[in-house]
Amino acid sequence: MENNRGGFGFQSLEIYRLAKELVIDCYNITRGMPSEEKYALCQQMNRAAVSIPSNIAEGYSRFSTKEKMHFMNMAYGSLMELTCQYEIARDLNYISHEQMNEYIEKAKKSGSEDKQLQKDNRETIGKQWESDGKTIEKL
């Protein structure tokens, strides 16, 4: 994945890069699903996946901590939605247990630290995001 220098501040966030990886993985997986799922499960999975980095980017642009936290919560909610959809895909034998496990590892990486940071540092996150964006490295 390319590193975008000279772009916007959110593009340097580790959580944003991890979320984009989830999107690419999701699109690659849904391409291999049955065609009858194209406008059903595949579309839902892709939308949930895209919502994660999109909410991170939008939250980064907000000025108040409350707004930033709102968008981080939205990103986390989309991550949980995508997790549910991956489970459904696995239960329908559209993806393997290995693919599910790979997803879970990446989702935990981007999700668990997100929730912990929100819980412990509600005010700090706003100050960190208002800096150059490099202080949040592991969400």
Side-chain angles (χ1 to χ4, degrees), residues 64-134:
S64 76
T65 301
K66 183 178 178 180
E67 285 182 300
K68 290 176 189 305
M69 295 308 294
H70 169 75
F71 284 97
M72 289 301 294
N73 284 327
M74 296 292 289
Y76 187 78
S78 294
L79 181 67
M80 295 300 99
E81 180 181 354
L82 184 58
T83 300
C84 171
Q85 293 158 353
Y86 261 85
E87 286 180 347
I88 292 167
R90 184 203 54 214
D91 293 347
L92 292 169
N93 294 316
Y94 294 158
I95 65 171
S96 68
H97 287 283
E98 183 181 316
Q99 288 172 308
M100 181 69 189
N101 291 338
E102 288 173 13
Y103 165 77
I104 291 295
E105 286 305 310
K106 286 184 178 183
K108 281 182 179 179
K109 207 177 201 181
S110 64
S112 64
E113 292 183 34
D114 173 356
K115 286 312 279 184
Q116 190 63 44
L117 184 64
Q118 287 184 56
K119 182 179 176 187
D120 294 342
N121 301 303
R122 289 205 180 269
E123 289 191 27
T124 305
I125 192 171
K127 292 175 187 167
Q128 289 175 338
W129 275 33
E130 289 160 7
S131 71
D132 64 358
K134 294 182 181 175

Side-chain angles (χ1 to χ4, degrees), residues 8-10 13 54-64 67-68 71 129-130:
F8 296 98
F10 67 86
L13 299 173
S54 298
N55 277 300
I56 292 166
E58 187 166 357
Y60 184 89
S61 72
R62 299 303 173 124
F63 294 105
S64 76
E67 285 182 300
K68 290 176 189 305
F71 284 97
W129 275 33
E130 289 160 7

